[in-house]
Amino acid sequence: MSIYDTLNEQQKKGVFTTDGPVLLLAGAGSGKTRVVVHRIAYLIEEMGVNPFNILAITFTNKAAGEMRSRVDKLIGFGSEQIWVSTFHSMCVKILRRFADKIGYDTNFVIYDTDDSKAIVKEIIKKLNIDTRYIKEKAIRGAISHAKDELIGVEQFEKDAAYDMNERKIAAAYREYQTTLKKNNAMDFDDLIYNTVKLFKEHPQVLLNYQERFLYIHVDEYQDTNTAQFELVRLLADKNKNLCVVGDDDQSIYKFRGANIRNILDFEKTYPNATVIKLEENYRSTQNILDAANAVIHNNVRRKDKSLWTRKDSGNQVHFRQFETGKEEAEFIVSDIKSKSRKGIIGYSGCAVLYRTNAQARLIEEACIMSGVPYQVVGGVNFYSRKEIKDLMAYLKTIDNGKDDLAVKRIINIPKRGIGATTILRAQEAADAENISFYDALKKARSIPSLAKSADKIERFTDLIEYFRHRLEEYTLVDLMDEIISKTGYVEELKNDGDDTALDRIGNIDELITKINTFTDENEEATLSDFLAEVALVTDLDETEDDVEKLMLMTLHAAKGLEFPHVYIAGMEDGIFPGMMSIVADERDELEEERRLCYVGMTRAMVDLTLCCAKCRMQRGELQYNAVSRFVKEIPMELLDNKPQVRRTRDFDDYGDDSGFASSFKPKAIARAKQTERMPVMAKEVKALNQISGLAKGSDMNLGELDYTVGDRVHHIKFGDGTVTKIDREPRDYKVTVDFDTAGTRIMYAIFSKLKKI
């Protein structure tokens, strides 16, 4: 029996089509790596190709290692001559031989991220760049993006000619490259950029590699950027024996520079290309595949294909809708625990996926309280994230300045110019007087070794004392808002230019939600009580390494993985797809969100559960979101439960007071008041009581608004806009705002919390 007899017909076609450009459109779970490995074996065993003349490129060391292992196992003797490599490793090998041709010594140094940061910091000082306006991360990001797009210094300077900040970044780019060249160093982006440069400037070197690599394979082609595309094009230009493997429906890394056009336009680049679709799926049941196909078929920019399987239809896709995000989390964890207890499947066979890291907090807490061991894949637990630990350290310092670790963590966050030497001297003074580190800081002016830094230290201690003196006036949410405002913590994140900034801000919003929920449940709670609650949760968050664990991860982190049972949380418009992709009305953004949904759904092998909440606390405020459009794109016969028609509407949808009040039923309000499982509803109840007249004294006392018609205002969800109309009604003001990006909205002042700008 031949090794090729185990392949299906389309897989065989992919293996046996060896000459010319080939595009293998490999759907999720279709066995693409198996095809590539068998194709390499076929080239060697049946076509007589020397292993030395075969190249296989992938993205990660892990993927390259897996492919190398499978090639060695299938082919055996001689397989070590096949060049199986990541893009970067391949370029290092090439540049080690020929870097001298582009002005480097062949023993060049490779700078990592920390090295790059250090250089950019020096350049910022040298060029007197004001980091209040141009952040270090923004400069590094711009340089990296330029190299990914093969934009050199000269071209960058031309493009930046009409923008002052861009000109400063261009100057930094030039200085950065000059420094690297002087140090005979390249960063990771240079490895590919300079290899392309080498090939274009020295055709003989390119020819050398074109004659070596007679057959080229590229995995995960949908994730290639412009520089990687050009590198592959140049290598394959002579022989055209290029086989690229990928799935445009799984292109989800635009934020990392991936260019989906590389795979969509493959036939334009290679008009005589053979396109082979791998549509038979070996992972999921047919119902799961039909649901995923129904969703992804709504994308316009894609190559048509539909996954199918020889497996049974399997269970319908489970859809569950809850009143609140907390109920959603409790159900997911309870359902998984029940399956484990009944022996249906262990914890490690289940995964909970979500759009943003911030969503993990409720699920983590539900796991902890239920005793379900879990692991956050590709990230850290909620309370271990840097931004959360920073803000918690502020709260600890305000509550009790004797926590030296907390004080030291935030003394220079955000930066105040207080360095390690000052901190060491303060600790020495504290030890000498047997007082806390913070108390030593408060006495900085009277401590000789701290005299020079006294002004900087006092700015910090004065801020902490300010918070302490105002503590009795604040709610805990007010306190956190004030910390964020006075320190400029979130503003600094926004200006950093870091890809993770929005995610980190989302985590901070989730911390505020946690604080708000805690105070709703415990009206007399103090700051100390809250810190004790969090300490209890984080202390319980420990499991043995060898214990089976439930997997929690973002949808991006789930790419390439599979689990028998998958739960996707937060299937609501505004959560998934995210509000930015909806408000911006950008087809490209929404289609990438839909591809991400497709990736998540196709991780499931046996059981797929989609969950959403009718209302969810975000940044301490109750938000109503419609069921995700992605759920609505699934045919009803594939779901075991239909989405409920929402009985309440977003506050901005109501045209008159009677419609608003009548949409809230007394039974629903009573239920929200009585049930302990819905603590986040308490805030809603208070507002509804005011508006619907259920509270004592049916009319609320209307104060004056701090904005009027014509003023510019900001809304947390819809951004900036202009007030065009204000109507005073018996129980609230009805405000009409023409938003810059979200259009005209009518909303009630009590809910909208508009801020004049």
Side-chain angles (χ1 to χ4, degrees), residues 595-618:
R595 290 194 293 270
L596 190 57
C597 182
Y598 174 81
V599 166
M601 295 174 74
T602 54
R603 299 311 94 193
M605 301 166 69
V606 178
D607 229 35
L608 173 63
T609 304
L610 307 177
C611 298
C612 71
K614 293 179 182 177
C615 60
R616 188 179 296 272
M617 291 287 268
Q618 293 175 274

PDB file of all heavy atoms in Angstrom, residues 595-618:
ATOM      1  N   ARG A 595     -13.868  36.650  10.001  1.00  0.00           N
ATOM      2  CA  ARG A 595     -12.888  35.572   9.849  1.00  0.00           C
ATOM      3  C   ARG A 595     -12.455  35.045  11.213  1.00  0.00           C
ATOM      4  O   ARG A 595     -12.240  33.852  11.404  1.00  0.00           O
ATOM      5  CB  ARG A 595     -11.670  36.070   9.054  1.00  0.00           C
ATOM      6  CG  ARG A 595     -11.957  36.337   7.593  1.00  0.00           C
ATOM      7  CD  ARG A 595     -10.682  36.493   6.777  1.00  0.00           C
ATOM      8  NE  ARG A 595      -9.914  37.669   7.115  1.00  0.00           N
ATOM      9  CZ  ARG A 595     -10.058  38.862   6.550  1.00  0.00           C
ATOM     10  NH1 ARG A 595     -10.982  39.045   5.615  1.00  0.00           N
ATOM     11  NH2 ARG A 595      -9.299  39.879   6.901  1.00  0.00           N
ATOM     12  N   LEU A 596     -12.339  35.954  12.169  1.00  0.00           N
ATOM     13  CA  LEU A 596     -11.959  35.558  13.521  1.00  0.00           C
ATOM     14  C   LEU A 596     -13.043  34.670  14.147  1.00  0.00           C
ATOM     15  O   LEU A 596     -12.738  33.699  14.847  1.00  0.00           O
ATOM     16  CB  LEU A 596     -11.731  36.809  14.372  1.00  0.00           C
ATOM     17  CG  LEU A 596     -11.104  36.633  15.746  1.00  0.00           C
ATOM     18  CD1 LEU A 596      -9.764  35.928  15.666  1.00  0.00           C
ATOM     19  CD2 LEU A 596     -10.929  37.991  16.424  1.00  0.00           C
ATOM     20  N   CYS A 597     -14.295  34.997  13.879  1.00  0.00           N
ATOM     21  CA  CYS A 597     -15.408  34.180  14.358  1.00  0.00           C
ATOM     22  C   CYS A 597     -15.340  32.789  13.734  1.00  0.00           C
ATOM     23  O   CYS A 597     -15.528  31.767  14.410  1.00  0.00           O
ATOM     24  CB  CYS A 597     -16.737  34.851  14.034  1.00  0.00           C
ATOM     25  SG  CYS A 597     -18.187  33.955  14.634  1.00  0.00           S
ATOM     26  N   TYR A 598     -15.059  32.748  12.445  1.00  0.00           N
ATOM     27  CA  TYR A 598     -14.925  31.475  11.715  1.00  0.00           C
ATOM     28  C   TYR A 598     -13.807  30.627  12.309  1.00  0.00           C
ATOM     29  O   TYR A 598     -13.966  29.413  12.511  1.00  0.00           O
ATOM     30  CB  TYR A 598     -14.648  31.797  10.245  1.00  0.00           C
ATOM     31  CG  TYR A 598     -14.330  30.614   9.366  1.00  0.00           C
ATOM     32  CD1 TYR A 598     -15.344  29.802   8.856  1.00  0.00           C
ATOM     33  CD2 TYR A 598     -13.020  30.325   9.009  1.00  0.00           C
ATOM     34  CE1 TYR A 598     -15.052  28.735   8.020  1.00  0.00           C
ATOM     35  CE2 TYR A 598     -12.719  29.258   8.173  1.00  0.00           C
ATOM     36  CZ  TYR A 598     -13.739  28.464   7.688  1.00  0.00           C
ATOM     37  OH  TYR A 598     -13.443  27.409   6.859  1.00  0.00           O
ATOM     38  N   VAL A 599     -12.691  31.267  12.617  1.00  0.00           N
ATOM     39  CA  VAL A 599     -11.577  30.550  13.248  1.00  0.00           C
ATOM     40  C   VAL A 599     -12.021  29.957  14.581  1.00  0.00           C
ATOM     41  O   VAL A 599     -11.758  28.792  14.892  1.00  0.00           O
ATOM     42  CB  VAL A 599     -10.361  31.482  13.445  1.00  0.00           C
ATOM     43  CG1 VAL A 599      -9.337  30.866  14.405  1.00  0.00           C
ATOM     44  CG2 VAL A 599      -9.701  31.783  12.108  1.00  0.00           C
ATOM     45  N   GLY A 600     -12.715  30.751  15.394  1.00  0.00           N
ATOM     46  CA  GLY A 600     -13.169  30.270  16.691  1.00  0.00           C
ATOM     47  C   GLY A 600     -14.122  29.097  16.566  1.00  0.00           C
ATOM     48  O   GLY A 600     -13.994  28.089  17.282  1.00  0.00           O
ATOM     49  N   MET A 601     -15.086  29.197  15.665  1.00  0.00           N
ATOM     50  CA  MET A 601     -16.080  28.133  15.507  1.00  0.00           C
ATOM     51  C   MET A 601     -15.434  26.833  15.038  1.00  0.00           C
ATOM     52  O   MET A 601     -15.820  25.738  15.466  1.00  0.00           O
ATOM     53  CB  MET A 601     -17.168  28.578  14.522  1.00  0.00           C
ATOM     54  CG  MET A 601     -18.000  29.756  15.016  1.00  0.00           C
ATOM     55  SD  MET A 601     -19.162  30.374  13.777  1.00  0.00           S
ATOM     56  CE  MET A 601     -20.411  29.079  13.790  1.00  0.00           C
ATOM     57  N   THR A 602     -14.444  26.942  14.153  1.00  0.00           N
ATOM     58  CA  THR A 602     -13.824  25.729  13.596  1.00  0.00           C
ATOM     59  C   THR A 602     -12.759  25.133  14.506  1.00  0.00           C
ATOM     60  O   THR A 602     -12.087  24.172  14.126  1.00  0.00           O
ATOM     61  CB  THR A 602     -13.212  26.021  12.210  1.00  0.00           C
ATOM     62  OG1 THR A 602     -12.309  27.141  12.302  1.00  0.00           O
ATOM     63  CG2 THR A 602     -14.297  26.320  11.191  1.00  0.00           C
ATOM     64  N   ARG A 603     -12.608  25.675  15.727  1.00  0.00           N
ATOM     65  CA  ARG A 603     -11.743  25.011  16.714  1.00  0.00           C
ATOM     66  C   ARG A 603     -12.479  23.830  17.350  1.00  0.00           C
ATOM     67  O   ARG A 603     -11.853  22.951  17.930  1.00  0.00           O
ATOM     68  CB  ARG A 603     -11.336  25.967  17.842  1.00  0.00           C
ATOM     69  CG  ARG A 603     -10.546  27.224  17.476  1.00  0.00           C
ATOM     70  CD  ARG A 603      -9.369  26.940  16.594  1.00  0.00           C
ATOM     71  NE  ARG A 603      -9.735  27.117  15.188  1.00  0.00           N
ATOM     72  CZ  ARG A 603      -8.983  26.704  14.171  1.00  0.00           C
ATOM     73  NH1 ARG A 603      -7.864  26.052  14.410  1.00  0.00           N
ATOM     74  NH2 ARG A 603      -9.364  26.902  12.921  1.00  0.00           N
ATOM     75  N   ALA A 604     -13.808  23.839  17.258  1.00  0.00           N
ATOM     76  CA  ALA A 604     -14.630  22.835  17.958  1.00  0.00           C
ATOM     77  C   ALA A 604     -14.695  21.541  17.164  1.00  0.00           C
ATOM     78  O   ALA A 604     -14.975  21.549  15.959  1.00  0.00           O
ATOM     79  CB  ALA A 604     -16.033  23.382  18.187  1.00  0.00           C
ATOM     80  N   MET A 605     -14.489  20.430  17.841  1.00  0.00           N
ATOM     81  CA  MET A 605     -14.520  19.119  17.203  1.00  0.00           C
ATOM     82  C   MET A 605     -15.891  18.454  17.355  1.00  0.00           C
ATOM     83  O   MET A 605     -16.416  17.874  16.410  1.00  0.00           O
ATOM     84  CB  MET A 605     -13.435  18.229  17.810  1.00  0.00           C
ATOM     85  CG  MET A 605     -12.035  18.794  17.672  1.00  0.00           C
ATOM     86  SD  MET A 605     -10.814  17.964  18.730  1.00  0.00           S
ATOM     87  CE  MET A 605     -10.737  16.357  17.951  1.00  0.00           C
ATOM     88  N   VAL A 606     -16.458  18.517  18.549  1.00  0.00           N
ATOM     89  CA  VAL A 606     -17.690  17.776  18.845  1.00  0.00           C
ATOM     90  C   VAL A 606     -18.841  18.699  19.230  1.00  0.00           C
ATOM     91  O   VAL A 606     -19.971  18.522  18.780  1.00  0.00           O
ATOM     92  CB  VAL A 606     -17.443  16.769  19.996  1.00  0.00           C
ATOM     93  CG1 VAL A 606     -18.732  16.023  20.350  1.00  0.00           C
ATOM     94  CG2 VAL A 606     -16.345  15.790  19.621  1.00  0.00           C
ATOM     95  N   ASP A 607     -18.559  19.695  20.053  1.00  0.00           N
ATOM     96  CA  ASP A 607     -19.610  20.524  20.635  1.00  0.00           C
ATOM     97  C   ASP A 607     -19.193  21.994  20.577  1.00  0.00           C
ATOM     98  O   ASP A 607     -18.078  22.341  20.978  1.00  0.00           O
ATOM     99  CB  ASP A 607     -19.833  20.116  22.101  1.00  0.00           C
ATOM    100  CG  ASP A 607     -21.299  19.900  22.424  1.00  0.00           C
ATOM    101  OD1 ASP A 607     -22.018  19.410  21.545  1.00  0.00           O
ATOM    102  OD2 ASP A 607     -21.707  20.233  23.552  1.00  0.00           O
ATOM    103  N   LEU A 608     -20.097  22.833  20.098  1.00  0.00           N
ATOM    104  CA  LEU A 608     -19.838  24.275  20.030  1.00  0.00           C
ATOM    105  C   LEU A 608     -20.974  25.006  20.720  1.00  0.00           C
ATOM    106  O   LEU A 608     -22.149  24.798  20.405  1.00  0.00           O
ATOM    107  CB  LEU A 608     -19.725  24.735  18.573  1.00  0.00           C
ATOM    108  CG  LEU A 608     -19.615  26.247  18.340  1.00  0.00           C
ATOM    109  CD1 LEU A 608     -18.345  26.810  18.966  1.00  0.00           C
ATOM    110  CD2 LEU A 608     -19.653  26.569  16.838  1.00  0.00           C
ATOM    111  N   THR A 609     -20.630  25.872  21.674  1.00  0.00           N
ATOM    112  CA  THR A 609     -21.622  26.655  22.408  1.00  0.00           C
ATOM    113  C   THR A 609     -21.318  28.135  22.250  1.00  0.00           C
ATOM    114  O   THR A 609     -20.203  28.585  22.536  1.00  0.00           O
ATOM    115  CB  THR A 609     -21.621  26.295  23.910  1.00  0.00           C
ATOM    116  OG1 THR A 609     -21.835  24.886  24.063  1.00  0.00           O
ATOM    117  CG2 THR A 609     -22.705  27.052  24.647  1.00  0.00           C
ATOM    118  N   LEU A 610     -22.304  28.892  21.760  1.00  0.00           N
ATOM    119  CA  LEU A 610     -22.171  30.339  21.591  1.00  0.00           C
ATOM    120  C   LEU A 610     -22.999  31.017  22.670  1.00  0.00           C
ATOM    121  O   LEU A 610     -24.186  30.712  22.832  1.00  0.00           O
ATOM    122  CB  LEU A 610     -22.662  30.760  20.201  1.00  0.00           C
ATOM    123  CG  LEU A 610     -22.054  30.017  19.002  1.00  0.00           C
ATOM    124  CD1 LEU A 610     -22.700  30.489  17.705  1.00  0.00           C
ATOM    125  CD2 LEU A 610     -20.544  30.214  18.949  1.00  0.00           C
ATOM    126  N   CYS A 611     -22.388  31.940  23.405  1.00  0.00           N
ATOM    127  CA  CYS A 611     -23.069  32.582  24.541  1.00  0.00           C
ATOM    128  C   CYS A 611     -23.087  34.097  24.390  1.00  0.00           C
ATOM    129  O   CYS A 611     -22.161  34.689  23.806  1.00  0.00           O
ATOM    130  CB  CYS A 611     -22.370  32.223  25.853  1.00  0.00           C
ATOM    131  SG  CYS A 611     -22.384  30.460  26.236  1.00  0.00           S
ATOM    132  N   CYS A 612     -24.106  34.718  24.938  1.00  0.00           N
ATOM    133  CA  CYS A 612     -24.160  36.185  24.959  1.00  0.00           C
ATOM    134  C   CYS A 612     -24.975  36.635  26.161  1.00  0.00           C
ATOM    135  O   CYS A 612     -25.644  35.834  26.813  1.00  0.00           O
ATOM    136  CB  CYS A 612     -24.749  36.736  23.664  1.00  0.00           C
ATOM    137  SG  CYS A 612     -26.517  36.447  23.493  1.00  0.00           S
ATOM    138  N   ALA A 613     -24.916  37.917  26.447  1.00  0.00           N
ATOM    139  CA  ALA A 613     -25.671  38.510  27.557  1.00  0.00           C
ATOM    140  C   ALA A 613     -26.521  39.654  27.026  1.00  0.00           C
ATOM    141  O   ALA A 613     -26.111  40.381  26.122  1.00  0.00           O
ATOM    142  CB  ALA A 613     -24.720  39.004  28.641  1.00  0.00           C
ATOM    143  N   LYS A 614     -27.707  39.800  27.601  1.00  0.00           N
ATOM    144  CA  LYS A 614     -28.574  40.904  27.192  1.00  0.00           C
ATOM    145  C   LYS A 614     -27.999  42.243  27.633  1.00  0.00           C
ATOM    146  O   LYS A 614     -28.149  43.255  26.958  1.00  0.00           O
ATOM    147  CB  LYS A 614     -29.972  40.714  27.787  1.00  0.00           C
ATOM    148  CG  LYS A 614     -30.720  39.520  27.227  1.00  0.00           C
ATOM    149  CD  LYS A 614     -32.085  39.389  27.890  1.00  0.00           C
ATOM    150  CE  LYS A 614     -32.822  38.160  27.381  1.00  0.00           C
ATOM    151  NZ  LYS A 614     -34.122  37.993  28.070  1.00  0.00           N
ATOM    152  N   CYS A 615     -27.378  42.255  28.810  1.00  0.00           N
ATOM    153  CA  CYS A 615     -26.729  43.472  29.264  1.00  0.00           C
ATOM    154  C   CYS A 615     -25.410  43.095  29.914  1.00  0.00           C
ATOM    155  O   CYS A 615     -25.260  41.994  30.449  1.00  0.00           O
ATOM    156  CB  CYS A 615     -27.608  44.267  30.224  1.00  0.00           C
ATOM    157  SG  CYS A 615     -28.058  43.370  31.721  1.00  0.00           S
ATOM    158  N   ARG A 616     -24.467  43.970  29.854  1.00  0.00           N
ATOM    159  CA  ARG A 616     -23.121  43.676  30.337  1.00  0.00           C
ATOM    160  C   ARG A 616     -22.522  44.946  30.919  1.00  0.00           C
ATOM    161  O   ARG A 616     -22.667  46.029  30.349  1.00  0.00           O
ATOM    162  CB  ARG A 616     -22.273  43.165  29.172  1.00  0.00           C
ATOM    163  CG  ARG A 616     -20.902  42.631  29.560  1.00  0.00           C
ATOM    164  CD  ARG A 616     -20.169  42.141  28.309  1.00  0.00           C
ATOM    165  NE  ARG A 616     -20.833  41.027  27.678  1.00  0.00           N
ATOM    166  CZ  ARG A 616     -20.626  39.758  27.997  1.00  0.00           C
ATOM    167  NH1 ARG A 616     -19.773  39.458  28.954  1.00  0.00           N
ATOM    168  NH2 ARG A 616     -21.267  38.796  27.368  1.00  0.00           N
ATOM    169  N   MET A 617     -21.855  44.808  32.039  1.00  0.00           N
ATOM    170  CA  MET A 617     -21.188  45.955  32.632  1.00  0.00           C
ATOM    171  C   MET A 617     -19.877  46.202  31.908  1.00  0.00           C
ATOM    172  O   MET A 617     -19.045  45.303  31.791  1.00  0.00           O
ATOM    173  CB  MET A 617     -20.905  45.701  34.109  1.00  0.00           C
ATOM    174  CG  MET A 617     -22.161  45.664  34.968  1.00  0.00           C
ATOM    175  SD  MET A 617     -22.859  47.309  35.204  1.00  0.00           S
ATOM    176  CE  MET A 617     -22.061  47.790  36.717  1.00  0.00           C
ATOM    177  N   GLN A 618     -19.707  47.399  31.388  1.00  0.00           N
ATOM    178  CA  GLN A 618     -18.466  47.789  30.743  1.00  0.00           C
ATOM    179  C   GLN A 618     -18.039  49.136  31.309  1.00  0.00           C
ATOM    180  O   GLN A 618     -18.791  50.101  31.267  1.00  0.00           O
ATOM    181  CB  GLN A 618     -18.643  47.889  29.223  1.00  0.00           C
ATOM    182  CG  GLN A 618     -18.914  46.539  28.565  1.00  0.00           C
ATOM    183  CD  GLN A 618     -19.200  46.682  27.092  1.00  0.00           C
ATOM    184  OE1 GLN A 618     -20.321  46.915  26.669  1.00  0.00           O
ATOM    185  NE2 GLN A 618     -18.158  46.548  26.304  1.00  0.00           N
TER     186      GLN A 618
END
